[in-house]
Amino acid sequence: MVERFLTYSLERGRRIQAVLLDETGAMTRRNLLVTAIDEDGMGFSARLPGRKRETHYALSQVLTAAYARGDQGELE
C-alpha cells in the first residue's frame, strides 16, 4: 500500500502524508512530494515543504502513507 501512495505522488505531483522512522528510531509524520523512486524500489527521493533540496529515504523507513490533508485522491 505504501508503494501505491509513493507512485501516486510521483505520477500526479501531489503531496502525501507519511509516518517515517528517523535515525534514532523515533516516528515523525511528514508531508512530502516524491520526486523519484529508486530503480530497485528500495528507496525514494522526496522534497519536504519549505525545502528546496531533496531527501532520500529507504522504503523500510516508511511505516504508513496516506493522502495529504485536503486530497481525496480523485481523478481529475
Side-chain angles (χ1 to χ4, degrees):
M1 190 67 146
V2 170
E3 293 87 0
R4 182 175 171 194
F5 279 105
L6 296 176
T7 304
Y8 169 81
S9 177
L10 179 64
E11 290 177 351
R12 303 207 191 285
R14 307 288 301 261
R15 295 196 183 277
I16 59 170
Q17 188 176 86
V19 177
L20 306 164
L21 285 177
D22 65 9
E23 299 80 25
T24 64
M27 292 186 294
T28 58
R29 184 178 62 187
R30 302 272 186 209
N31 286 329
L32 49 91
L33 175 66
V34 177
T35 55
I37 297 176
D38 294 348
E39 294 275 331
D40 60 3
M42 299 306 292
F44 64 95
S45 296
R47 192 171 313 138
L48 299 172
R51 297 191 184 164
K52 295 180 182 179
R53 197 174 66 176
E54 296 177 0
T55 306
H56 188 268
Y57 296 99
L59 193 58
S60 61
Q61 287 180 271
V62 183
L63 299 178
T64 189
Y67 295 113
R69 184 176 182 177
D71 186 2
Q72 299 299 317
E74 293 101 8
L75 300 176
E76 296 157 335

